[in-house]
Amino acid sequence: MLRKTILQPTNMPIVETQRLRREFQAKKKVITALEDIDLQVEESVVFGLLGPNGAGKTTLIRILSTLLLPTSGKATVAGFDVAKEPEKIRPLINMASGAERAGYDFITARGNLWFFSQLYGVDSSVANRSIETLSAALRLENYLDSKLYTLSTGYRQRLTIARSLINDPRVVFLDEPTIGLDVMTAKSIREFLVSQAKDQKRTIFIATHNMAETEAICDRVAIIDSGRIVACDSPASLKKNFGAPATVMEVSPPLQSLQAISSVRGVKGATSAIDADRGVARLKLIVDDEGAVKAVGAIVESSGSKVLQSWMQEPSLEEVFISLIGRGFAERESEDAN
Amino acid sequence: MYARAWVRVKSVYDEPLWLLVNIGFPLFTSTGMALLYRSAGLASFSGFAILGGIMMAFWGNVLWGMASQFYWDKQVGIFDIYLVSPASITAILVGMSIGGIFSTAPSAVITAILGWLLFTPPIAPSWLAVILVFTITLISLYAVGMLLSSLYLAYGREGEAVNEALSEPVTMLSGLYFPTLGSTSPFPLALQAVISLIPLTIGMDALRRTVFYSEDLGSIASSLAVLTAMTLVLIFSASRALKILEERGRKEGTLSVRLR
């Protein structure tokens, strides 16, 4: 691979933001997408930015990858200011989004990777070696000479990941890299990303709303909601400091309004989901005391529903989010939509 | 630059159907015009139609392959990849132009060969002048494409409508079907002056004069000078416009960001 220069003392964070703020002007009103973001990301880690849709993850990634200027505050990558020195940052980074097209349809996977390597001035022989190495690691080698339009979503996504590493970047920004992938493909991509951070000493910065993904691969996680970082630590510490065991209650329809349940004294947060296959609703409660669970049970029963079963669940990042915000991702997203 | 040219050439040459479509459109249009001229007793004009067919192939490529390319790249996220990389956007555009010229060349060559075989129009070329005019006209044509690509980026979805709107009027006014400058032009002088602002009009006029009337470099020097100046202004404007768009996009979030 071709990493050439170390451009800063290694004890500095590779990505740093200070009171970062970004506003957008939209139809006579100002939308604050990011507010007072303070982050420090060390080298060679997998860093997760976890939040519901609309939380500001993509905006932050776009600022850090020099596509967007902050409204105020400061952000640096590899010691360089994203606003003032984008030309010094660009050779050192790469970016990929799960939503992007992996390249040009009528060119082979190999051709696309070579083309994108040339945007970074990578020598063709080095690029060809990198293509072989990356495609072997991502199990893409049998499809290298297939045209892009013939590849399945999973292989296109693998190609996108390979593309984001073709210039041997120090920092890779990935926006929802496993979105829409089957479980096994997503798992293999996650394992690959972890190996890139550990073996290649690369910093992988992932924005995602996938909690299981974040928990599985991230060394550190920042939880973002409505443009603000509400917590930042390792997944284990987040669970230890903010997570509480959840009480899961399976109830028969109709489901009681979540607002009524959330307003029960002792309920710190609640979320609900419908299990369409089984025709039941599942309530997840974070409570301060056991009495709150009983009170919620009574509300459910009084509305004509029936509590079918309930159990305790060990805290995951989902419980951390519910504890911190009071609601789950789905509820936050529907609030934003309204 | 080379890599972007390679992508364009490879995409077309690897797809025989595309190649056929590229060849078919200008060939059939110019053949139709040439047949019309011949049946109207204007055999010498059939040569103009064939020449128009050759340039029409390039004009079509500029509109559909150059001008709107960045707009489509933006829609699918590839433009973000360009912006995040250290590559110069102008260099990518130049690469796209070179690739466009090479991928359109078969269409132009086949139109020329078949047209001349079918209609044998009387030609009297001044070869050095022809080659020079052709080259500069081609560069100016792709410089228009470079400028249009930045405008399409700015105006987004309307790009395709602009393409449609520009296609036929420019084809007609620039003289791809018949002479639109000089004594044989059906247009009044005022309109001729206006359409001279289109580089293709000046290029087509100079090509016609060098291919059919043996005019040499001396007699078309003013056309060459104007074309060259226009080309330089267009390339500079395209480069500036892209730079301004990129800066504005970073500031306002309009170029690549999707507000989520």
Short mmCIF file of all heavy atoms in Angstrom, two decimals, chain A residues 237-295:
data_model
loop_
_atom_site.label_atom_id
_atom_site.label_comp_id
_atom_site.label_asym_id
_atom_site.label_seq_id
_atom_site.Cartn_x
_atom_site.Cartn_y
_atom_site.Cartn_z
N SER A 237 -18.52 1.14 28.24
CA SER A 237 -18.70 2.21 29.23
C SER A 237 -20.06 2.87 29.09
O SER A 237 -20.68 3.24 30.09
CB SER A 237 -17.60 3.26 29.06
OG SER A 237 -16.35 2.68 29.30
N LEU A 238 -20.50 3.05 27.86
CA LEU A 238 -21.82 3.66 27.66
C LEU A 238 -22.90 2.81 28.32
O LEU A 238 -23.79 3.33 29.00
CB LEU A 238 -22.13 3.81 26.16
CG LEU A 238 -21.41 4.94 25.42
CD1 LEU A 238 -21.67 4.85 23.93
CD2 LEU A 238 -21.84 6.30 25.95
N LYS A 239 -22.77 1.51 28.13
CA LYS A 239 -23.79 0.60 28.70
C LYS A 239 -23.70 0.62 30.24
O LYS A 239 -24.71 0.63 30.92
CB LYS A 239 -23.59 -0.82 28.18
CG LYS A 239 -24.07 -0.97 26.74
CD LYS A 239 -24.12 -2.39 26.29
CE LYS A 239 -22.75 -2.93 26.01
NZ LYS A 239 -22.77 -4.30 25.48
N LYS A 240 -22.45 0.68 30.71
CA LYS A 240 -22.26 0.67 32.16
C LYS A 240 -22.80 1.97 32.78
O LYS A 240 -23.48 1.95 33.82
CB LYS A 240 -20.76 0.52 32.47
CG LYS A 240 -20.45 0.31 33.92
CD LYS A 240 -18.94 0.11 34.08
CE LYS A 240 -18.57 0.39 35.53
NZ LYS A 240 -17.17 0.78 35.66
N ASN A 241 -22.50 3.10 32.13
CA ASN A 241 -22.85 4.39 32.73
C ASN A 241 -24.29 4.83 32.47
O ASN A 241 -24.87 5.53 33.27
CB ASN A 241 -21.89 5.48 32.22
CG ASN A 241 -20.47 5.22 32.66
OD1 ASN A 241 -20.25 4.62 33.72
ND2 ASN A 241 -19.51 5.61 31.86
N PHE A 242 -24.80 4.47 31.30
CA PHE A 242 -26.13 4.99 30.94
C PHE A 242 -27.18 3.90 30.75
O PHE A 242 -28.36 4.17 30.77
CB PHE A 242 -26.06 5.81 29.64
CG PHE A 242 -25.14 6.97 29.73
CD1 PHE A 242 -23.88 6.93 29.14
CD2 PHE A 242 -25.50 8.12 30.41
CE1 PHE A 242 -23.01 8.01 29.21
CE2 PHE A 242 -24.64 9.21 30.49
CZ PHE A 242 -23.39 9.15 29.89
N GLY A 243 -26.72 2.69 30.50
CA GLY A 243 -27.68 1.63 30.19
C GLY A 243 -28.32 1.07 31.46
O GLY A 243 -27.73 1.04 32.52
N ALA A 244 -29.56 0.70 31.31
CA ALA A 244 -30.26 0.01 32.41
C ALA A 244 -30.97 -1.16 31.80
O ALA A 244 -31.36 -1.10 30.63
CB ALA A 244 -31.24 0.97 33.05
N PRO A 245 -31.12 -2.25 32.55
CA PRO A 245 -31.86 -3.38 31.98
C PRO A 245 -33.25 -2.91 31.54
O PRO A 245 -33.88 -2.12 32.24
CB PRO A 245 -31.93 -4.38 33.13
CG PRO A 245 -30.89 -3.96 34.10
CD PRO A 245 -30.73 -2.49 33.95
N ALA A 246 -33.68 -3.40 30.42
CA ALA A 246 -35.00 -3.01 29.93
C ALA A 246 -36.03 -4.08 30.30
O ALA A 246 -35.71 -5.26 30.35
CB ALA A 246 -34.96 -2.84 28.42
N THR A 247 -37.24 -3.62 30.56
CA THR A 247 -38.33 -4.57 30.72
C THR A 247 -39.07 -4.64 29.39
O THR A 247 -39.52 -3.62 28.87
CB THR A 247 -39.32 -4.10 31.81
OG1 THR A 247 -38.59 -3.93 33.01
CG2 THR A 247 -40.44 -5.10 32.01
N VAL A 248 -39.11 -5.83 28.82
CA VAL A 248 -39.80 -6.00 27.55
C VAL A 248 -41.16 -6.62 27.85
O VAL A 248 -41.27 -7.61 28.57
CB VAL A 248 -39.00 -6.89 26.57
CG1 VAL A 248 -39.72 -7.01 25.24
CG2 VAL A 248 -37.60 -6.35 26.38
N MET A 249 -42.18 -5.99 27.29
CA MET A 249 -43.55 -6.43 27.56
C MET A 249 -44.21 -6.75 26.23
O MET A 249 -44.27 -5.88 25.36
CB MET A 249 -44.28 -5.27 28.25
CG MET A 249 -45.38 -5.64 29.17
SD MET A 249 -46.04 -4.12 29.89
CE MET A 249 -45.22 -4.08 31.46
N GLU A 250 -44.67 -7.96 26.08
CA GLU A 250 -45.34 -8.32 24.82
C GLU A 250 -46.84 -8.20 25.06
O GLU A 250 -47.37 -8.85 25.97
CB GLU A 250 -44.96 -9.74 24.43
CG GLU A 250 -44.91 -9.93 22.93
CD GLU A 250 -44.22 -11.24 22.58
OE1 GLU A 250 -44.82 -12.30 22.80
OE2 GLU A 250 -43.09 -11.18 22.10
N VAL A 251 -47.51 -7.36 24.27
CA VAL A 251 -48.93 -7.12 24.52
C VAL A 251 -49.75 -7.37 23.25
O VAL A 251 -49.25 -7.22 22.14
CB VAL A 251 -49.20 -5.68 25.04
CG1 VAL A 251 -48.40 -5.40 26.29
CG2 VAL A 251 -48.88 -4.65 23.97
N SER A 252 -51.01 -7.70 23.47
CA SER A 252 -51.90 -7.89 22.31
C SER A 252 -52.41 -6.52 21.85
O SER A 252 -52.49 -5.60 22.66
CB SER A 252 -53.08 -8.78 22.73
OG SER A 252 -53.84 -8.12 23.72
N PRO A 253 -52.73 -6.39 20.59
CA PRO A 253 -53.25 -5.11 20.10
C PRO A 253 -54.62 -4.82 20.72
O PRO A 253 -55.29 -5.77 21.17
CB PRO A 253 -53.35 -5.30 18.60
CG PRO A 253 -52.84 -6.66 18.29
CD PRO A 253 -52.63 -7.39 19.56
N PRO A 254 -55.13 -3.59 20.76
CA PRO A 254 -54.44 -2.39 20.23
C PRO A 254 -53.39 -1.90 21.22
O PRO A 254 -53.55 -2.06 22.43
CB PRO A 254 -55.59 -1.39 20.12
CG PRO A 254 -56.55 -1.80 21.20
CD PRO A 254 -56.46 -3.28 21.30
N LEU A 255 -52.36 -1.27 20.65
CA LEU A 255 -51.27 -0.78 21.50
C LEU A 255 -51.66 0.55 22.12
O LEU A 255 -52.18 1.44 21.45
CB LEU A 255 -50.01 -0.62 20.65
CG LEU A 255 -48.77 -0.14 21.38
CD1 LEU A 255 -48.36 -1.15 22.45
CD2 LEU A 255 -47.63 0.07 20.41
N GLN A 256 -51.42 0.66 23.42
CA GLN A 256 -51.69 1.91 24.14
C GLN A 256 -50.74 3.00 23.63
O GLN A 256 -49.63 2.71 23.20
CB GLN A 256 -51.47 1.66 25.64
CG GLN A 256 -51.77 2.83 26.54
CD GLN A 256 -53.24 3.23 26.48
OE1 GLN A 256 -54.10 2.37 26.38
NE2 GLN A 256 -53.52 4.51 26.51
N SER A 257 -51.19 4.27 23.68
CA SER A 257 -50.34 5.36 23.21
C SER A 257 -49.06 5.43 24.04
O SER A 257 -49.08 5.31 25.27
CB SER A 257 -51.09 6.68 23.28
OG SER A 257 -50.51 7.55 24.23
N LEU A 258 -47.96 5.62 23.32
CA LEU A 258 -46.66 5.63 23.99
C LEU A 258 -46.53 6.84 24.91
O LEU A 258 -45.83 6.79 25.92
CB LEU A 258 -45.55 5.65 22.91
CG LEU A 258 -44.21 5.06 23.30
CD1 LEU A 258 -44.34 3.65 23.80
CD2 LEU A 258 -43.26 5.12 22.13
N GLN A 259 -47.25 7.89 24.53
CA GLN A 259 -47.19 9.12 25.33
C GLN A 259 -47.73 8.84 26.74
O GLN A 259 -47.14 9.26 27.74
CB GLN A 259 -48.02 10.20 24.66
CG GLN A 259 -47.59 11.59 25.07
CD GLN A 259 -48.35 12.66 24.30
OE1 GLN A 259 -49.19 12.35 23.46
NE2 GLN A 259 -48.08 13.90 24.62
N ALA A 260 -48.84 8.10 26.79
CA ALA A 260 -49.43 7.79 28.10
C ALA A 260 -48.49 6.93 28.93
O ALA A 260 -48.34 7.13 30.14
CB ALA A 260 -50.76 7.07 27.89
N ILE A 261 -47.82 6.01 28.25
CA ILE A 261 -46.90 5.10 28.96
C ILE A 261 -45.67 5.88 29.45
O ILE A 261 -45.23 5.71 30.59
CB ILE A 261 -46.50 3.92 28.05
CG1 ILE A 261 -47.72 3.03 27.83
CG2 ILE A 261 -45.34 3.14 28.63
CD1 ILE A 261 -47.58 2.02 26.74
N SER A 262 -45.15 6.76 28.58
CA SER A 262 -43.95 7.52 28.95
C SER A 262 -44.21 8.44 30.12
O SER A 262 -43.30 8.78 30.87
CB SER A 262 -43.47 8.35 27.76
OG SER A 262 -43.15 7.51 26.69
N SER A 263 -45.49 8.86 30.27
CA SER A 263 -45.78 9.82 31.34
C SER A 263 -45.98 9.14 32.71
O SER A 263 -46.16 9.82 33.72
CB SER A 263 -47.02 10.65 30.98
OG SER A 263 -48.11 9.79 30.84
N VAL A 264 -45.92 7.82 32.72
CA VAL A 264 -46.06 7.10 34.00
C VAL A 264 -44.83 7.40 34.87
O VAL A 264 -43.70 7.36 34.38
CB VAL A 264 -46.18 5.57 33.76
CG1 VAL A 264 -46.08 4.81 35.08
CG2 VAL A 264 -47.46 5.25 33.04
N ARG A 265 -45.09 7.71 36.10
CA ARG A 265 -44.00 8.04 37.02
C ARG A 265 -43.05 6.84 37.14
O ARG A 265 -43.48 5.71 37.31
CB ARG A 265 -44.60 8.37 38.38
CG ARG A 265 -43.61 9.00 39.32
CD ARG A 265 -44.29 9.23 40.65
NE ARG A 265 -43.30 9.59 41.61
CZ ARG A 265 -43.41 10.57 42.46
NH1 ARG A 265 -44.49 11.29 42.47
NH2 ARG A 265 -42.45 10.84 43.31
N GLY A 266 -41.75 7.11 37.02
CA GLY A 266 -40.76 6.04 37.14
C GLY A 266 -40.32 5.48 35.79
O GLY A 266 -39.35 4.74 35.72
N VAL A 267 -41.04 5.86 34.72
CA VAL A 267 -40.62 5.41 33.38
C VAL A 267 -39.61 6.41 32.82
O VAL A 267 -39.95 7.57 32.57
CB VAL A 267 -41.84 5.27 32.42
CG1 VAL A 267 -41.37 4.95 31.00
CG2 VAL A 267 -42.77 4.17 32.91
N LYS A 268 -38.37 5.97 32.63
CA LYS A 268 -37.33 6.87 32.10
C LYS A 268 -37.41 6.97 30.58
O LYS A 268 -37.07 7.97 29.98
CB LYS A 268 -35.93 6.34 32.46
CG LYS A 268 -35.47 6.80 33.83
CD LYS A 268 -34.12 6.20 34.16
CE LYS A 268 -32.98 6.83 33.37
NZ LYS A 268 -31.70 6.17 33.63
N GLY A 269 -37.84 5.89 29.96
CA GLY A 269 -37.94 5.89 28.50
C GLY A 269 -38.74 4.69 28.04
O GLY A 269 -38.82 3.68 28.74
N ALA A 270 -39.37 4.86 26.91
CA ALA A 270 -40.17 3.75 26.37
C ALA A 270 -40.12 3.75 24.86
O ALA A 270 -40.00 4.80 24.23
CB ALA A 270 -41.62 3.88 26.85
N THR A 271 -40.20 2.56 24.32
CA THR A 271 -40.25 2.45 22.87
C THR A 271 -41.17 1.28 22.53
O THR A 271 -41.39 0.40 23.36
CB THR A 271 -38.83 2.24 22.28
OG1 THR A 271 -38.95 2.04 20.89
CG2 THR A 271 -38.11 1.07 22.89
N SER A 272 -41.72 1.31 21.33
CA SER A 272 -42.63 0.22 20.96
C SER A 272 -42.37 -0.23 19.54
O SER A 272 -41.88 0.54 18.71
CB SER A 272 -44.08 0.69 21.09
OG SER A 272 -44.35 1.67 20.13
N ALA A 273 -42.69 -1.48 19.26
CA ALA A 273 -42.54 -2.01 17.92
C ALA A 273 -43.61 -3.08 17.71
O ALA A 273 -44.02 -3.74 18.67
CB ALA A 273 -41.16 -2.61 17.75
N ILE A 274 -44.06 -3.19 16.48
CA ILE A 274 -45.07 -4.20 16.16
C ILE A 274 -44.37 -5.43 15.58
O ILE A 274 -43.54 -5.30 14.68
CB ILE A 274 -46.08 -3.65 15.12
CG1 ILE A 274 -46.75 -2.36 15.63
CG2 ILE A 274 -47.10 -4.72 14.75
CD1 ILE A 274 -47.75 -2.55 16.73
N ASP A 275 -44.69 -6.57 16.10
CA ASP A 275 -44.21 -7.83 15.51
C ASP A 275 -45.35 -8.34 14.62
O ASP A 275 -46.28 -9.02 15.09
CB ASP A 275 -43.87 -8.83 16.63
CG ASP A 275 -43.26 -10.12 16.07
OD1 ASP A 275 -43.47 -10.39 14.87
OD2 ASP A 275 -42.60 -10.84 16.85
N ALA A 276 -45.28 -7.96 13.34
CA ALA A 276 -46.40 -8.25 12.44
C ALA A 276 -46.61 -9.75 12.26
O ALA A 276 -47.75 -10.21 12.13
CB ALA A 276 -46.14 -7.59 11.09
N ASP A 277 -45.51 -10.51 12.27
CA ASP A 277 -45.63 -11.96 12.06
C ASP A 277 -46.46 -12.62 13.16
O ASP A 277 -47.27 -13.50 12.91
CB ASP A 277 -44.23 -12.61 12.04
CG ASP A 277 -43.46 -12.21 10.78
OD1 ASP A 277 -44.14 -11.77 9.83
OD2 ASP A 277 -42.23 -12.32 10.78
N ARG A 278 -46.24 -12.16 14.39
CA ARG A 278 -46.92 -12.79 15.52
C ARG A 278 -48.18 -12.03 15.94
O ARG A 278 -48.91 -12.46 16.82
CB ARG A 278 -45.96 -12.94 16.71
CG ARG A 278 -44.75 -13.85 16.34
CD ARG A 278 -43.82 -14.04 17.50
NE ARG A 278 -44.53 -14.51 18.66
CZ ARG A 278 -44.33 -14.09 19.90
NH1 ARG A 278 -43.42 -13.16 20.12
NH2 ARG A 278 -45.01 -14.56 20.90
N GLY A 279 -48.38 -10.86 15.33
CA GLY A 279 -49.57 -10.08 15.64
C GLY A 279 -49.56 -9.53 17.05
O GLY A 279 -50.61 -9.42 17.69
N VAL A 280 -48.37 -9.18 17.56
CA VAL A 280 -48.28 -8.61 18.91
C VAL A 280 -47.46 -7.33 18.86
O VAL A 280 -46.73 -7.08 17.89
CB VAL A 280 -47.62 -9.59 19.91
CG1 VAL A 280 -48.47 -10.82 20.11
CG2 VAL A 280 -46.21 -9.94 19.47
N ALA A 281 -47.61 -6.53 19.90
CA ALA A 281 -46.79 -5.33 20.03
C ALA A 281 -45.78 -5.57 21.15
O ALA A 281 -46.06 -6.33 22.09
CB ALA A 281 -47.66 -4.14 20.36
N ARG A 282 -44.62 -4.97 21.01
CA ARG A 282 -43.59 -5.17 22.02
C ARG A 282 -43.21 -3.80 22.61
O ARG A 282 -42.77 -2.91 21.89
CB ARG A 282 -42.38 -5.83 21.36
CG ARG A 282 -41.47 -6.51 22.35
CD ARG A 282 -40.49 -7.41 21.64
NE ARG A 282 -41.11 -8.65 21.18
CZ ARG A 282 -40.65 -9.37 20.17
NH1 ARG A 282 -39.60 -8.98 19.49
NH2 ARG A 282 -41.25 -10.49 19.81
N LEU A 283 -43.43 -3.67 23.87
CA LEU A 283 -43.07 -2.43 24.58
C LEU A 283 -41.73 -2.64 25.27
O LEU A 283 -41.52 -3.68 25.89
CB LEU A 283 -44.09 -2.14 25.68
CG LEU A 283 -45.40 -1.45 25.32
CD1 LEU A 283 -46.29 -1.42 26.55
CD2 LEU A 283 -45.12 -0.04 24.84
N LYS A 284 -40.86 -1.65 25.15
CA LYS A 284 -39.60 -1.75 25.88
C LYS A 284 -39.54 -0.58 26.84
O LYS A 284 -39.69 0.58 26.44
CB LYS A 284 -38.43 -1.71 24.90
CG LYS A 284 -37.10 -2.05 25.52
CD LYS A 284 -36.00 -2.05 24.51
CE LYS A 284 -35.86 -3.41 23.83
NZ LYS A 284 -34.66 -3.46 22.99
N LEU A 285 -39.37 -0.88 28.12
CA LEU A 285 -39.41 0.16 29.15
C LEU A 285 -38.08 0.22 29.90
O LEU A 285 -37.52 -0.81 30.25
CB LEU A 285 -40.51 -0.13 30.18
CG LEU A 285 -41.91 -0.42 29.66
CD1 LEU A 285 -42.78 -0.95 30.79
CD2 LEU A 285 -42.52 0.84 29.08
N ILE A 286 -37.62 1.44 30.12
CA ILE A 286 -36.51 1.64 31.06
C ILE A 286 -37.14 2.32 32.26
O ILE A 286 -37.72 3.41 32.12
CB ILE A 286 -35.41 2.55 30.46
CG1 ILE A 286 -34.97 2.05 29.08
CG2 ILE A 286 -34.23 2.67 31.42
CD1 ILE A 286 -34.09 0.85 29.06
N VAL A 287 -37.03 1.69 33.40
CA VAL A 287 -37.75 2.22 34.57
C VAL A 287 -36.80 2.44 35.74
O VAL A 287 -35.75 1.80 35.85
CB VAL A 287 -38.89 1.26 35.00
CG1 VAL A 287 -39.95 1.19 33.92
CG2 VAL A 287 -38.34 -0.11 35.32
N ASP A 288 -37.22 3.37 36.60
CA ASP A 288 -36.46 3.64 37.82
C ASP A 288 -36.81 2.65 38.93
O ASP A 288 -35.98 2.31 39.76
CB ASP A 288 -36.77 5.05 38.32
CG ASP A 288 -35.95 6.08 37.57
OD1 ASP A 288 -34.94 5.68 36.97
OD2 ASP A 288 -36.36 7.26 37.54
N ASP A 289 -38.08 2.25 38.95
CA ASP A 289 -38.47 1.30 39.99
C ASP A 289 -39.51 0.32 39.44
O ASP A 289 -40.19 0.60 38.44
CB ASP A 289 -39.00 2.02 41.24
CG ASP A 289 -40.28 2.76 40.95
OD1 ASP A 289 -41.36 2.14 41.08
OD2 ASP A 289 -40.20 3.95 40.55
N GLU A 290 -39.58 -0.80 40.08
CA GLU A 290 -40.42 -1.91 39.61
C GLU A 290 -41.90 -1.53 39.57
O GLU A 290 -42.66 -2.03 38.74
CB GLU A 290 -40.19 -3.12 40.53
CG GLU A 290 -40.61 -4.46 39.97
CD GLU A 290 -39.99 -4.75 38.61
OE1 GLU A 290 -38.83 -4.36 38.35
OE2 GLU A 290 -40.70 -5.36 37.79
N GLY A 291 -42.29 -0.60 40.43
CA GLY A 291 -43.69 -0.18 40.48
C GLY A 291 -44.16 0.40 39.16
O GLY A 291 -45.34 0.26 38.80
N ALA A 292 -43.26 1.04 38.44
CA ALA A 292 -43.62 1.66 37.16
C ALA A 292 -44.07 0.60 36.16
O ALA A 292 -44.99 0.83 35.36
CB ALA A 292 -42.44 2.46 36.61
N VAL A 293 -43.41 -0.57 36.19
CA VAL A 293 -43.78 -1.66 35.27
C VAL A 293 -45.22 -2.09 35.54
O VAL A 293 -46.01 -2.30 34.62
CB VAL A 293 -42.80 -2.85 35.41
CG1 VAL A 293 -43.25 -4.02 34.53
CG2 VAL A 293 -41.39 -2.43 35.06
N LYS A 294 -45.53 -2.20 36.82
CA LYS A 294 -46.89 -2.61 37.18
C LYS A 294 -47.90 -1.56 36.71
O LYS A 294 -48.97 -1.90 36.19
CB LYS A 294 -46.99 -2.78 38.70
CG LYS A 294 -46.35 -4.08 39.17
CD LYS A 294 -46.55 -4.26 40.66
CE LYS A 294 -45.75 -5.49 41.11
NZ LYS A 294 -45.34 -5.39 42.49
N ALA A 295 -47.54 -0.28 36.88
CA ALA A 295 -48.45 0.81 36.46
C ALA A 295 -48.68 0.77 34.95
O ALA A 295 -49.81 0.94 34.47
CB ALA A 295 -47.87 2.16 36.89
#
